[in-house]
Amino acid sequence: ILEFGLSFDPDQAILDVREKIDLAERDYPEDAREPIITEINTATFPVLVVNLYGDVPERGLYRIARDLQDDLEALPGVLEANLQGDREEVLEIVVDPVKLENYNISHQEILQTVTANNQLVPAGQIDTGSGSFPIKVPGLIKTAEDAFSLPIQQSGDAVITLADVADIRRTFKDREVYAQFNGKPSVAIQIVKRSGANILSTIDAVRTAVTDAEASWPESVQTELTSDQSITIESQVGQLQSSIVTAVLLVMIIVVAALGLRSALLVGIAIPASFVMAFLLIGVYGLTINLMVMFGMLIAVGILVDGAIVVVEYADRKMAEGLDKVDAYRLAAKRMFWPIVASNATTLAAFIPFLFWDSLVGKFMSYLPLTLIFVLTSSLVMALIFLPVLGSIFGGRASGDETNDESLKALSGAEGDPLKALGWLGRYARFTSHLISRPLFVTAGAGLMIFVIFAWFGSTQHRSELFLDLEPEEVIVFVSGQGSLSAQEKFDIVQRVEAVALNTKGIRSVATEAGGRSGQIQVFDSNGPADKIGNLLVTLQTRAQGYDGRKAEAALRDNLAEVPGARIEILRREQGPPTGKDVQIILLSDDNTALETTALRIREHLRQDDELREFDDTLPLPGLEYTLQVDRAQAGKFGVDVAQIGAVVQLVTSGVLVGRYRPDDAVDEVDIRVRFPEEARSVEALDRLRIATSGGQVPLSEFVERTPAPRVSTISRRDGSRIINIRANTVEQGEGAAKVDEIKEWIETAGLDPSVTIEFEGADEDAEEAAAFFQSAALAALFLMAVILLWEFNNFYHVALTLTAVILSTAGVLIGIQVFLPYISTLMIGTGVVALAGIVVNNNIVLIDTFQRLRATGRSAEDAAIAAAAQRIRPILLTTATTICGLLPMMYQLNVNFRDGIISTGGGSSEWWVQLSTAVVFGLGFSTIMTLIVTPVWLAAPEKMGRWRRRIFSRSEGLVDEIAPLAYSHGEKPRAVDDIRPAAE
């Protein structure tokens, strides 16, 4: 298994790997087959499983499944329809060892006879001069009856055929895996869609094909679709669509209430127009519509109208001052151009670092910033180009509140004192004036509040997840057992678990698989523990079906804990980026003894922890295997080699492969195998085997010794070093990060062998990587925003003042976590904090830009700060309210079904976005309130502090004048005060 970075070129990688394999092939055994290079692609994972089950003959169920497989693979959106649970067919020649001995026939004669008579011999062609005719000798076995008449030995006129010493039957290979669905034998068809195909239409086509095929099936054959991704996707898309519509309605209500119907319609046009333009850009870029794109659209609903609101609100205010609509919108487009560009640029600057997150989690999240970049770029074009044009044609003011009009005129610099302006704007201006006169008090109060919030958050213990703790829809139950168990014994144990699961409340269906080989290399953590003997895929009833999936999972755990003779492990099927178990420890070393000793110590320590469960590891499994030691010298005396011995031994195992044939009713070739009957296939039968030699039939025991030995299941290495994995889950969901930290502390003090390297993977590794990325992304975003702001303001103090909103928003996020969220999602909260950095600075940009413009007209800093705050409070509150209202449906998991007129809350799909929307809502809300309070104060503070400084200096100058005469030396000639001031100071 080779793991590459996500930005690698797969085509070049395959070429490079093939080159290295070609170099290594010269050391392969001669009978080794050509290596196969397979690319693991999550796009080829099944999107649906069709389960066929019932109490019907096995061959009939397989035939129905294969016919359905052909129908499904013919669908345009289906890449593959893979059968699971079926058995390969075989033509089995079961020879009777007693008859072989009676007829003095060796097994080699049978093998040679079948092989020699199952060939197609091209015999060339005859050229007669008048024509050319190809000649062939068709000797292929086509049916079981063809094999019956094969002659093995001739005695006089009598011919001994294969039918005389063997039973020939077309059957299935020995069962290694048992498959059931809801307690009945089953065959599953896993549907893999084509890359780029629409998953919803593909699954709909599969459903239709299954329904059409059911009409010709016996009533005893039942079917059920599981692991249906379209249900989840339709639920999530429906949730997002309803949230987008709800958000648009809420935004429009707010804008209509604040600006009037005509202005609100202009703002409303920006929403669908920006979406249409964004979809065009998404298509040009080559993206498909997926979950993260839809959520990006939802976040953008509240943000994309910010520029439109700022333009329309400014034009509305100018029309209140007396300008006509053409001049008002022309001035709005000109005056608000750079503030809107700077606001959008800073918002995008926060998301740009996400495009460089080169990891699986990063690629999963990259659709969000890409969508926002496309939508905000579209909204910028709408706000600065199309909207002013439309406003100049259709714009106008509804009969508004004359009180607020008077306030707007006063605050815009018309005659009148802004502190005496009427209405709520005047009251806010007066409140701001009182705060400006007390800058130290306001600063101390803001600093104290931030400190208290961070201290409050730090003193509280929080559960944390890398991704999300979602309501489970499916769980995988792994059943483990050790020892040399037969397939039937494994099935018996798994059946007991299956029976308990089927009788548990809240269970929709149970797909069972038992048997198979354990200890295979683990490609994905969902493969389960190395000693598993079977697994159950359990579909739970969720709140969408009237039951809580978490309760169903808890009931399943409680019931399965009572199953005797089986070790049970239950894992939720991951719905986000795969992380595996909470605790994943990797041990590497070249010293195998030290490696196993260290692994045993760590395993025992973890098993003693009551807060952990569902342990598994890759330590060597106990088991038994038999080794047949060949005495080559003794075997050589009889003219026997190892290959002949191996062929004889296979008669008591899976049989000797002597050829293949293709029956008319089979799709693939069928193996022809020769073996002994079931009663002659045992460990003791190995000692009784005979082999034909020049001296007659000789027992294998003459030169072969059978010895039992410990079984070697696998040898695992990573980068050339032996590796052992130890994994476990925490009992309490969300405690994985804290438990990993605790284990790391124990490892540091446990005195483990230093030759063993210990690493942590899974959620801990991804969380550390995510935390490191968010830190670097935040710094990069702040740097980009600082550059943009410096270009906009040309003032370092104003840049620093603008960026204080980031700290304020972070404090707001912490409040949201404390009062609203049951746990912390590192990925979602981190994304929310970085995204907020680009959103919250917009309020300060608009405020400070207005302040600088008013200062340029000659106003004092105090008057300019008051007027700027009062002038811009309306667009600030509007843009904040629209953004928050756009996310409130997601925050409260509100599902509005406009078609059926139903409003509901909760559901697995709605849980995806609670964390991120909560972070933005609380962070933006708190930051906006604090911005409207402290930013005007800090804008006026430098001038006010300067006056204080000058007043203090003027007082000190008077004191200097009073004490200056004391600086004279007695008897010296008096000098001017200015001459002696330095000495006095």
Side-chain angles (χ1 to χ4, degrees):
I1 302 171
L2 290 83
E3 182 178 347
F4 297 86
L6 292 186
S7 58
F8 82 114
D9 181 353
D11 295 330
Q12 184 62 43
I14 290 178
L15 292 176
D16 294 341
V17 171
R18 169 56 62 190
E19 178 184 352
K20 298 300 181 183
I21 289 179
D22 290 342
L23 293 176
E25 277 187 319
R26 58 190 176 189
D27 297 325
Y28 289 0
E30 291 183 1
D31 57 346
R33 293 190 175 185
E34 183 75 13
I36 298 174
I37 302 176
T38 303
E39 181 183 353
I40 299 172
N41 188 347
T42 55
T44 60
F45 286 2
V47 298
L48 178 71
V49 177
V50 181
N51 297 281
L52 306 177
Y53 63 102
D55 295 321
V56 293
E58 184 178 23
R59 187 176 296 277
L61 188 61
Y62 290 171
R63 183 173 291 110
I64 290 173
R66 290 193 181 97
D67 291 341
L68 180 60
Q69 180 188 29
D70 294 338
D71 294 340
L72 296 179
E73 288 185 335
L75 297 176
V78 175
L79 177 64
E80 293 177 346
N82 300 317
L83 285 182
Q84 300 291 325
D86 62 327
R87 287 196 288 167
E88 292 184 36
E89 287 191 285
V90 63
L91 182 65
E92 203 171 68
I93 302 174
V94 182
V95 297
D96 188 338
V98 176
K99 291 182 178 179
L100 289 182
E101 190 169 349
N102 291 338
Y103 287 113
N104 193 26
I105 298 174
S106 67
H107 70 276
Q108 289 100 321
E109 292 179 76
I110 295 179
L111 303 182
Q112 292 169 1
T113 298
V114 176
T115 303
N117 287 278
N118 186 37
Q119 296 183 20
L120 175 63
V121 182
Q125 63 182 14
I126 297 177
D127 190 346
T128 64
S130 58
S132 178
F133 306 97
I135 305 298
K136 64 180 180 180
V137 182
L140 292 176
I141 295 176
K142 295 183 178 180
T143 64
E145 288 71 19
D146 291 342
F148 273 104
S149 59
L150 292 179
I152 299 174
Q153 198 176 80
Q154 182 180 3
S155 177
D157 295 334
V159 176
I160 301 173
T161 63
L162 192 57
D164 294 327
V165 296
D167 290 330
I168 304 174
R169 58 193 181 192
R170 182 174 167 187
T171 181
F172 297 100
K173 291 185 177 181
D174 291 345
R175 186 181 292 278
E176 292 185 353
V177 178
Y178 290 82
Q180 293 196 156
F181 188 84
N182 288 345
K184 296 181 179 179
S186 71
V187 177
I189 305 177
Q190 296 181 342
I191 306 299
V192 178
K193 77 175 186 68
R194 293 187 182 278
S195 179
N198 185 294
I199 188 171
L200 300 181
S201 60
T202 299
I203 292 180
D204 283 342
V206 171
R207 287 199 190 102
T208 302
V210 172
T211 302
D212 293 342
E214 278 183 311
S216 61
W217 297 347
E219 293 183 359
S220 54
V221 177
Q222 298 173 272
T223 181
E224 185 164 336
L225 308 183
T226 57
S227 301
D228 189 345
Q229 291 190 16
S230 69
I231 296 176
T232 303
I233 291 174
E234 285 177 339
S235 173
Q236 292 169 342
V237 171
Q239 164 74 20
L240 290 172
Q241 286 176 341
S242 69
S243 296
I244 289 174
V245 175
T246 305
V248 170
L249 292 176
L250 292 174
V251 167
M252 291 304 300
I253 291 172
I254 293 171
V255 177
V256 168
L259 300 178
L261 181 60
R262 187 174 296 185
S263 296
L265 288 177
L266 290 175
V267 174
I269 291 173
I271 299 176
S274 298
F275 277 164
V276 170
M277 195 180 302
F279 278 122
L280 177 62
L281 294 175
I282 287 172
V284 171
Y285 190 79
L287 294 183
T288 57
I289 304 303
N290 58 36
L291 197 62
M292 296 303 293
V293 170
M294 292 293 292
F295 184 67
M297 295 286 182
L298 177 60
I299 290 183
V301 168
I303 302 175
L304 67 86
V305 296
D306 286 3
I309 287 175
V310 169
V311 170
V312 171
E313 192 277 338
Y314 190 88
D316 183 76
R317 185 157 55 82
K318 288 304 175 183
M319 285 187 286
E321 296 170 10
L323 292 179
D324 62 34
K325 59 185 180 182
V326 175
D327 292 335
Y329 276 96
R330 182 187 295 116
L331 183 60
K334 180 181 178 180
R335 180 67 196 86
M336 291 291 107
F337 182 85
W338 288 118
I340 292 175
V341 170
S343 297
N344 275 35
T346 52
T347 302
L348 295 179
F351 290 99
I352 285 176
F354 283 89
L355 302 179
F356 302 94
W357 192 357
D358 189 23
S359 70
L360 184 62
V361 174
K363 294 298 181 183
F364 178 80
M365 299 298 295
S366 65
Y367 293 98
L368 179 61
L370 282 172
T371 303
L372 288 173
I373 289 172
F374 293 142
V375 175
L376 293 181
T377 302
S378 303
S379 70
L380 184 66
V381 175
M382 284 299 303
L384 296 178
I385 297 178
F386 293 102
L387 200 60
V389 174
L390 294 174
S392 64
I393 300 173
F394 304 107
R397 300 196 81 236
S399 56
D401 186 351
E402 282 76 13
T403 299
N404 283 335
D405 287 353
E406 293 297 325
S407 300
L408 290 169
K409 292 177 182 178
L411 292 167
S412 297
E415 292 185 2
D417 184 356
L419 298 183
K420 296 180 181 179
L422 302 175
W424 65 275
L425 290 178
R427 289 192 293 272
Y428 171 66
R430 188 174 291 108
F431 172 70
T432 303
S433 176
H434 291 316
L435 294 179
I436 288 177
S437 62
R438 300 169 178 82
L440 295 180
F441 173 78
V442 173
T443 301
L448 179 62
M449 180 178 293
I450 299 299
F451 174 79
V452 169
I453 292 172
F454 276 86
W456 177 36
F457 179 82
S459 63
T460 307
Q461 187 174 3
H462 301 88
R463 295 191 301 116
S464 65
E465 293 278 352
L466 172 64
F467 188 57
L468 292 168
D469 178 15
L470 300 171
E471 179 186 13
E473 299 176 356
E474 292 179 330
V475 297
I476 303 174
V477 180
F478 293 111
V479 184
S480 298
Q482 296 185 357
S484 300
L485 300 175
S486 67
Q488 183 63 49
E489 290 172 324
K490 294 177 182 179
F491 181 51
D492 292 341
I493 297 174
V494 174
Q495 265 193 313
R496 295 202 298 266
V497 178
E498 179 190 53
V500 174
L502 287 171
N503 292 322
T504 300
K505 185 178 181 181
I507 303 302
R508 291 177 55 197
S509 64
V510 178
T512 304
E513 184 180 81
R517 292 175 295 173
S518 62
Q520 297 177 2
I521 296 177
Q522 306 295 300
V523 180
F524 302 104
D525 187 74
S526 59
N527 284 352
D531 59 348
K532 74 168 184 178
I533 59 175
N535 54 264
L536 289 72
L537 178 60
V538 181
T539 305
L540 308 176
Q541 291 182 5
T542 61
R543 281 180 286 180
Q545 290 90 36
Y547 200 77
D548 192 331
R550 291 185 174 87
K551 291 182 179 179
E553 179 192 11
L556 184 65
R557 288 184 183 277
D558 293 340
N559 292 346
L560 293 183
E562 307 299 326
V563 178
R567 185 164 62 84
I568 307 297
E569 181 178 321
I570 301 176
L571 295 181
R572 292 183 181 180
R573 192 162 190 172
E574 296 179 294
Q575 301 182 47
T579 57
K581 291 188 175 180
D582 298 328
V583 178
Q584 298 186 51
I585 305 175
I586 308 299
L587 290 81
L588 303 108
S589 179
D590 294 326
D591 186 341
N592 193 46
T593 302
L595 182 65
E596 292 188 10
T597 302
T598 304
L600 287 170
R601 282 196 61 188
I602 295 177
R603 184 178 71 175
E604 293 308 312
H605 174 76
L606 298 185
R607 289 186 180 277
Q608 293 172 7
D609 193 329
D610 296 333
E611 297 177 353
L612 294 175
R613 66 183 178 191
E614 295 165 350
F615 307 92
D616 77 277
D617 56 69
T618 57
L619 281 161
L621 298 174
L624 185 66
E625 66 181 14
Y626 287 99
T627 302
L628 300 182
Q629 298 289 345
V630 179
D631 186 339
R632 288 183 172 84
Q634 186 68 17
K637 295 179 181 178
F638 294 94
V640 176
D641 55 32
V642 174
Q644 292 173 308
I645 296 173
V648 174
V649 172
Q650 289 180 18
L651 292 171
V652 298
T653 56
S654 59
V656 183
L657 177 64
V658 294
R660 294 181 177 89
Y661 82 112
R662 187 188 298 274
D664 294 336
D665 59 344
V667 177
D668 300 318
E669 285 187 327
V670 175
D671 289 352
I672 303 174
R673 290 187 174 270
V674 178
R675 66 192 309 196
F676 283 168
E678 185 174 358
E679 62 273 10
R681 298 196 299 265
S682 64
V683 175
E684 293 75 16
L686 291 173
D687 300 328
R688 298 193 297 268
L689 282 175
R690 293 175 174 271
I691 189 168
T693 69
S694 57
Q697 299 280 349
V698 177
L700 282 185
S701 56
E702 289 289 334
F703 39 81
V704 174
E705 181 181 0
R706 174 173 59 88
T707 57
R711 181 176 61 192
V712 179
S713 54
T714 58
I715 296 176
S716 300
R717 296 181 182 273
R718 175 177 293 179
D719 298 336
S721 297
R722 291 287 292 268
I723 179 175
I724 292 178
N725 301 328
I726 302 176
R727 296 179 287 255
N729 274 330
T730 55
V731 174
E732 293 294 330
Q733 191 79 16
E735 297 294 336
K739 181 55 63 177
V740 167
D741 291 338
E742 182 181 317
I743 296 171
K744 286 180 178 178
E745 293 178 3
W746 175 81
I747 288 176
E748 291 177 358
T749 60
L752 301 177
D753 195 315
S755 65
V756 179
T757 301
I758 302 175
E759 300 174 357
F760 286 80
E761 287 190 335
D764 178 70
E765 181 184 35
D766 292 339
E768 289 184 355
E769 179 188 333
F773 169 78
F774 285 132
Q775 291 176 3
S776 59
L779 293 175
L782 290 175
F783 175 77
L784 290 174
M785 287 188 287
V787 171
I788 295 169
L789 294 172
L790 189 61
W791 164 72
E792 168 70 10
F793 296 143
N794 196 28
N795 186 305
F796 282 101
Y797 175 70
H798 288 170
V799 171
L801 183 57
T802 304
L803 294 180
T804 56
V806 177
I807 300 175
L808 299 176
S809 69
T810 303
V813 173
L814 300 185
I815 295 174
I817 293 173
Q818 289 289 98
V819 302
F820 196 80
L821 296 178
Y823 68 96
I824 299 174
S825 168
T826 304
L827 193 59
M828 292 300 185
I829 295 296
T831 302
V833 170
V834 177
L836 272 170
I839 298 173
V840 297
V841 296
N842 294 345
N843 295 333
N844 272 342
I845 290 175
V846 173
L847 198 59
I848 294 175
D849 178 80
T850 303
F851 172 81
Q852 288 186 339
R853 180 176 57 83
L854 294 175
R855 285 284 283 158
T857 62
R859 291 199 184 192
S860 66
E862 185 173 343
D863 288 345
I866 296 171
Q871 285 183 25
R872 307 318 299 161
I873 185 174
R874 191 164 65 150
I876 287 175
L877 290 179
L878 277 175
T879 54
T880 300
T882 53
T883 303
I884 289 177
C885 287
L887 293 174
L888 282 179
M890 303 303 295
M891 177 176 161
Y892 286 104
Q893 303 184 54
L894 189 66
N895 308 314
V896 182
N897 189 326
F898 291 94
R899 183 182 60 187
D900 301 330
I902 299 174
I903 299 177
S904 60
T905 58
S909 60
S910 63
E911 293 182 26
W912 274 70
W913 314 115
V914 173
Q915 296 265 335
L916 189 51
S917 57
T918 300
V920 176
V921 166
F922 276 89
L924 180 58
F926 180 79
S927 174
T928 300
I929 295 172
M930 294 297 293
T931 295
L932 292 173
I933 294 174
V934 302
T935 299
V937 175
W938 289 341
L939 283 172
E943 183 176 289
K944 196 171 189 63
M945 298 296 290
R947 289 201 302 267
W948 288 355
R949 186 172 60 253
R950 287 192 296 273
R951 192 179 306 153
I952 294 173
F953 285 159
S954 65
R955 290 177 181 174
S956 64
E957 287 178 357
L959 181 60
V960 168
D961 291 340
E962 291 178 7
I963 68 171
L966 299 179
Y968 298 143
S969 299
H970 183 67
E972 288 185 4
K973 183 179 179 179
R975 291 174 292 175
V977 173
D978 289 341
D979 294 334
I980 63 175
R981 179 176 283 118
E985 291 176 350

